[in-house]
Amino acid sequence: SFAVEGISGQSMLVRLDVEEISVSTGTACSSGVTQPSEVLTALGVPEDIIEGTLRISLGRGTSEEDMKRVLKVVCGAVESIRGRATATT
């Protein structure tokens, strides 16, 4: 799981989905649940960070190249979203 401060998980999810990168805004065992993660809450993670948290699942077939692509797309999405936010303020 990861979160980017100041960026909603839903915004990131949409951007990554366009690039065919599958992520989730919920835990693996809470499909369809809209409440904050109990684990992250118990750890004292602020609610705004919890709401921005994305979960990405890796498997045997996930290669180093796959992860490099994910990182590149995530960084591009963050820059794009932050740039758009700056342009509207």
Side-chain angles (χ1 to χ4, degrees), residues 13-85:
L13 183 134
V14 169
R15 295 288 180 126
L16 298 177
D17 185 57
V18 167
E19 295 291 333
E20 299 182 354
I21 295 173
S22 298
V23 295
S24 172
T25 55
T27 62
C29 55
S30 67
S31 180
V33 175
T34 57
Q35 296 177 332
S37 163
E38 291 179 20
V39 172
L40 295 178
T41 300
L43 289 171
V45 176
E47 192 168 327
D48 61 325
I49 299 294
I50 293 172
E51 290 175 3
T53 300
L54 293 175
R55 179 180 53 84
I56 185 166
S57 297
L58 308 176
R60 271 192 194 142
T62 306
S63 68
E64 184 176 343
E65 291 77 28
D66 294 333
M67 289 310 303
K68 286 180 181 178
R69 179 175 175 272
V70 168
L71 291 172
K72 182 177 179 180
V73 172
V74 166
C75 289
V78 168
E79 289 175 4
S80 176
I81 293 167
R82 285 195 173 150
R84 186 179 45 157

